[in-house]
Amino acid sequence: MDEMLTMLSVDEATEIVLAQTVVMGTERVAITDTLGKVLSEDIISKREHPPWNNSAMDGYAVRWHDIQSANADAPAILPIVDEVAAGGMPKQALAEGEAVSIMTGAPVPENADTVVRVEDTTHEGEHVAIIKAPKKGANIRLHGEDIQTGQTVISAGQQVRPAELGMLATAGHVWTQIYQQPRVSILATGNELAEPGDDLGPEKIINSNAFSVSGLVHESGAKPLMLHTAGDNREELTAKILEASAADIAIVVGGVSVGKYDYVKEVLKELGCEMHFWRVKMRPGHPVAFGTLKGRAGHRPTLLFGLPGNPVSCMVAFYQFVYPTLRKMQGLQNLQLSQVEAELLEDIRQRPGRRHFARALTTYDYDAGCYKTRLSGPLGSGILTSMVQANSLLVLSEERSDFKAGERVSVQILPDAVIAS
Ligand code: AMP
Ligand code: MG
């Protein structure tokens, strides 16, 4: 049968991959180990915050009734009976006509209902002169105004960012439950590969994919495990693929195409890997494979991705298939790269039949109120410079050949992209 007919679309292939993807188990860790991880439980606050009414300013705690009509011509002059700094507690409740010197964050004494900021006072020996009365209740952060005990402050499935780290601590948690981090082994294949710093022979190229793929795995929240490169021969590939399959996901880079020495397909079949697809109607990244390899008894199967060796194809295929898989495994809900609509800034022609993910530089135009996008450089699947220049992937439909400047297109925003205006 014509291979083109049996070839899957990107959407069909994605559906197959995600159907085989199982969410990781959970583990209990110190909150200091949760940055970038995904919470597997709702976080319920054990405390209220703030724990007491406290001052939002350096100033004087007063009863508003005593100072309400104070102004520069007729200041309210009150005796300073106490001083409270952050970390201290007021000695007694405030009596009528008194003031307490108070610092930001310090607990407000009982019966004080307003804090006058230092800038609106003058200090006269044992007394303070209030020269401007604020509104009643000013500059006091109320007990429990942010968080109540028993309140759900973060929902399960949320990735921990710096704000969540702070909230976990504020809510009184020292340990919490997260989804385990997937471990991803990366096996580069090819007789031509050498490592940076090696004495390169004339036939060698640098194994750049090992670096970009381990960066992609890391960026996706998972743990990369680099294996030593396998040469293009069955014995080495068999041994190395077996080694790789001990992880939750194994990525084999290169050797999945139709070249004479592309043995990965054969070796996987021999190892009993169930192959779900070998090719996808996409550009770049068309030779991309996905299979499941039965693990040891009681272990779930290892997901095995064969990514093309061309450096850009490899990255693009990762973003379409491995990135959503890793996100699903970590318990996240939004699996794909964020997608926005942008105005295309140039004409593009392509052969239809494959969805094209073109390296693009997307910006936001505030005057026009929309994103704008253009190619970030040459489109060859080995041209890494244009990937370096890109912050996004322009998604060009497989059903069309001509795209005109001015029309609206979909753009996938790369993680951590900076969108300039
Ligand atoms: P392959 O998919 O093995 O047919 O490789 C396609 C192209 O990508 C060839 O030009 C390879 O030399 C190149 N290539 C394969 N693996 C890597 C790698 N790990 N790093 C950089 N380039 C690679
Ligand atoms: Mg190769």
Side-chain angles (χ1 to χ4, degrees), residues 188-189 192-193 205-210 253-257 262 308-311:
T189 72
E192 75 278 35
L193 300 181
I205 64 157
I206 287 177
N207 176 11
S208 65
N209 290 337
V253 183
V256 290
S257 196
D262 290 337
N310 275 310

Side-chain angles (χ1 to χ4, degrees), residues 281-284 348-350 354-359 375 379 393-398:
K281 284 187 250 180
M282 66 188 280
R283 171 184 311 121
I348 301 179
R349 290 207 65 159
Q350 64 167 9
R354 296 184 191 175
R355 189 173 300 173
H356 188 176
F357 297 94
R359 282 143 274 178
L375 299 177
L379 291 174
L393 296 172
L394 180 46
V395 187
L396 299 170
S397 165
E398 51 271 56

